[in-house]
Amino acid sequence: DTGVSQNPRHKITKRGQNVTFRCDPISEHNRLYWYRQTLGQGPEFLTYFQNEAQLEKSRLLSDRFSAERPKGSFSTLEIQRTEQGDSAMYLCASSLGWAGATDTQYFGPGTRLTVL
Amino acid sequence: DAKTTQPNSMESNEEEPVHLPCNHSTISGTDYIHWYRQLPSQGPEYVIHGLTSNVNNRMASLAIAEDRKSSTLILHRATLRDAAVYYCILGEYGNKLVFGAGTILRVKS
C-alpha cells in the first residue's frame, strides 16, 4: 500500500497526559499537512511542512501542540497536557508540492483521539 | 480565506445523476475550485478541481459558471458508494485546504 499511513488509528488517554501521533506520507511527497476534525465539522488546518521546514501554523495550534518532520520524511504531532477539548480526529495529508504541478492532497485514515 | 456555501444535505436515487451546487461569490482570480469527499470513517478523498473551464475525470464532472461565482459537481450515476460528505473548497493550488461543513449526500437504493 503506497498511501498515507497514520499510527495509531485510535488513542485513548487521560486528561493531562502527552500523546504523539505519526504520519508516513506517500514516498517522494514534499509537502505534509496536519488537520483536525471534530464531529460534524470539516477538517481544520493545523500546520504544514515543505520537506523538513514547517511553513505555516494555524492559530488553532496552541503551545501545547508541536509538530516535526525530521529529514523531510515522516512527521509527528505531539499534544502535551491533553484536554478534553483535544478529542478529535487528527488527519495527515501529503502532496508533491511542486509549483505549477498537480498538487492534490492525499489524506490518511486519521488518528482518533479520545481524552477522558 | 475565501468562503463557499453549500446545501447541508442532498438526497439522490441510485443510478441517477447528482448535481451538487457550490456558491463562491468572493472567489479571486487565482483561486482554484477543489472538490473533496469524505466517506464514513475515512479521510477526505480528492474528487476534482478546476480554475475556469469545465473539467471531467473518471469520478465526476465540474461545471464552473462563466463568472466563476458558482460551480456544480456532477456525479453522472450515483451509487451507494458515493454516499459521503462533499466539500467545495477554494484556494491557491498547493496551499492548505479550508474546509466548510460540506454537503451530506445520501443515496437511496
Side-chain angles (χ1 to χ4, degrees):
Chain A
D1 187 6
T2 57
V4 177
S5 62
Q6 293 188 245
N7 288 289
R9 294 291 309 277
H10 303 273
K11 179 71 177 178
I12 299 174
T13 191
K14 293 182 179 179
R15 189 178 56 181
Q17 297 295 304
N18 299 342
V19 294
T20 300
F21 311 139
R22 176 179 171 125
C23 171
D24 287 273
I26 293 172
S27 179
E28 297 180 356
H29 275 194
N30 296 315
R31 287 196 178 181
L32 188 149
Y33 301 78
W34 284 99
Y35 294 83
R36 180 175 71 183
Q37 185 173 27
T38 52
L39 205 59
Q41 303 297 315
E44 295 174 294
F45 168 79
L46 293 179
T47 188
Y48 89 96
F49 294 83
Q50 175 77 31
N51 299 312
E52 65 273 14
Q54 188 173 15
L55 296 187
E56 185 176 351
K57 294 185 196 179
S58 162
R59 63 183 180 276
L60 295 171
L61 216 62
S62 75
D63 58 4
R64 296 186 298 107
F65 288 72
S66 63
E68 294 182 338
R69 193 183 182 197
K71 303 178 183 177
S73 56
F74 71 92
S75 176
T76 58
L77 178 69
E78 181 183 15
I79 308 175
Q80 297 182 328
R81 305 180 304 280
T82 53
E83 303 172 355
Q84 289 183 325
D86 297 331
S87 295
M89 176 74 82
Y90 290 83
L91 293 160
C92 174
S94 71
S95 70
L96 284 168
W98 297 345
T102 300
D103 205 33
T104 299
Q105 291 187 30
Y106 296 86
F107 283 80
T111 295
R112 169 75 64 190
L113 173 66
T114 302
V115 182
L116 302 176
Chain B
D1 297 315
K3 300 278 180 134
T4 62
T5 303
Q6 299 178 252
N8 291 333
S9 64
M10 293 185 64
E11 200 167 77
S12 170
N13 293 318
E14 200 174 11
E15 303 297 321
E16 291 185 356
V18 181
H19 291 235
L20 296 164
C22 181
N23 289 320
H24 28 78
S25 58
T26 59
I27 190 170
S28 75
T30 55
D31 280 336
Y32 280 80
I33 302 161
H34 308 264
W35 283 83
Y36 281 73
R37 72 179 185 181
Q38 188 170 22
L39 281 65
S41 302
Q42 294 187 25
E45 172 188 34
Y46 168 80
V47 178
I48 201 167
H49 76 276
L51 185 60
T52 56
S53 305
N54 294 345
V55 184
N56 299 296
N57 66 20
R58 63 175 180 81
M59 289 182 69
S61 295
L62 176 60
I64 301 173
E66 196 169 333
D67 63 5
R68 301 211 323 128
K69 293 186 177 181
S70 66
S71 61
T72 302
L73 178 70
I74 303 165
L75 306 179
H76 296 288
R77 290 179 62 199
T79 70
L80 296 178
R81 288 179 293 180
D82 291 321
V85 181
Y86 286 79
Y87 297 100
C88 170
I89 302 164
L90 300 185
E92 292 188 14
Y93 218 47
N95 285 349
K96 65 189 179 190
L97 299 172
V98 180
F99 290 81
T103 296
I104 300 170
L105 175 65
R106 298 183 178 89
V107 180
K108 298 185 296 182
S109 58

